[in-house]
Amino acid sequence: FFEVERRLLATRPIFPTLGNHETTDTTFFDGLLSAPKLAKVDHPYYSSIDWGRVHIAFLNSFEGKFTTLKGNDPGLGDAQAAWLDADLAAARAAGKLSFVFTHQNAFSHGKSGAHGGSADVKAKVVPAMLKHRALAIFGGHDHYYQRGREGCVDYFVVGGGGAPLYDPDEAAPGVAVSKKLPSYLR
């Protein structure tokens, strides 16, 4: 990873977010980012960082029940939701512009084969985002590019990073743009 990404990493920060593919064996992910060491926190897979006036919260949307064959199920625990509420409150009090990053987004609209948005993230993250005026949520998980607005929350699905692509539902309510193509954000 570091050999391939050396030139990019010399000029750009990368902040990974744990996803469903890393939950069976977190050794590789832990080698890239150790939240307890960097953020001085007890929980290993969610954290936040300030970058100038911007505050970014990184969540673990796969805290569900562990199964040995596929890792952890989707889910976001109550402790993480309480942490996010306090984290976004502190960022707002400090005058920061907040964004939330997670592997499986609260919103994602795909056709057959797509996972869709996480009901747990929607129920536990979106209220904190609205309460503390976070500007947008970013996720992947579904293998396509999509952006839109659900209620008062702007969302981005950027999951076209190399796996076979899924068909997004461009006609779903709230969708502004939906594309079946490799994607990244700049």
Side-chain angles (χ1 to χ4, degrees):
F1 174 80
F2 292 104
E3 180 62 32
V4 171
E5 299 297 339
R6 181 180 45 189
R7 290 178 54 201
L8 176 67
L9 292 171
T11 60
R12 302 288 188 273
I14 293 180
F15 303 104
T17 302
L18 186 78
N20 59 306
H21 297 283
E22 293 83 29
T23 59
T24 53
D25 179 3
T26 59
T27 306
F28 181 75
F29 187 86
D30 291 340
L32 293 175
L33 175 72
S34 175
K37 291 178 186 172
L38 295 175
K40 298 179 178 74
V41 295
D42 294 331
H43 47 77
Y45 302 118
Y46 51 94
S47 61
S48 62
I49 189 167
D50 291 333
W51 193 267
R53 289 195 54 225
V54 173
H55 179 80
I56 304 169
F58 302 97
L59 303 180
N60 175 7
S61 58
F62 282 84
E63 284 190 317
K65 179 183 172 190
F66 181 78
T67 56
T68 57
L69 294 177
K70 62 178 184 157
N72 288 29
D73 289 335
L76 195 128
D78 292 338
Q80 185 176 182
W83 170 85
L84 178 65
D85 186 65
D87 181 71
L88 292 178
R92 184 174 177 202
K96 302 289 183 182
L97 304 172
S98 293
F99 298 90
V100 175
F101 283 71
T102 184
H103 180 75
Q104 188 173 13
N105 209 320
F107 310 105
S108 180
H109 306 285
K111 296 179 181 175
S112 67
H115 304 287
S118 166
D120 221 24
V121 172
K122 186 175 183 179
K124 295 179 179 178
V125 173
V126 171
M129 290 180 65
L130 293 172
K131 179 179 175 183
H132 303 295
R133 298 183 184 162
L135 297 175
I137 184 168
F138 296 82
H141 198 53
D142 280 316
H143 303 170
Y144 48 70
Y145 172 80
Q146 189 172 83
R147 74 173 186 268
R149 186 175 185 98
E150 295 269 347
C152 296
V153 177
D154 290 321
Y155 73 91
F156 296 82
V157 178
V158 189
L165 297 172
Y166 303 160
D167 290 312
D169 184 356
E170 59 279 344
V175 173
V177 175
S178 227
K179 301 284 182 185
K180 180 180 179 178
L181 49 76
S183 53
Y184 66 93
L185 291 181
R186 186 174 145 193

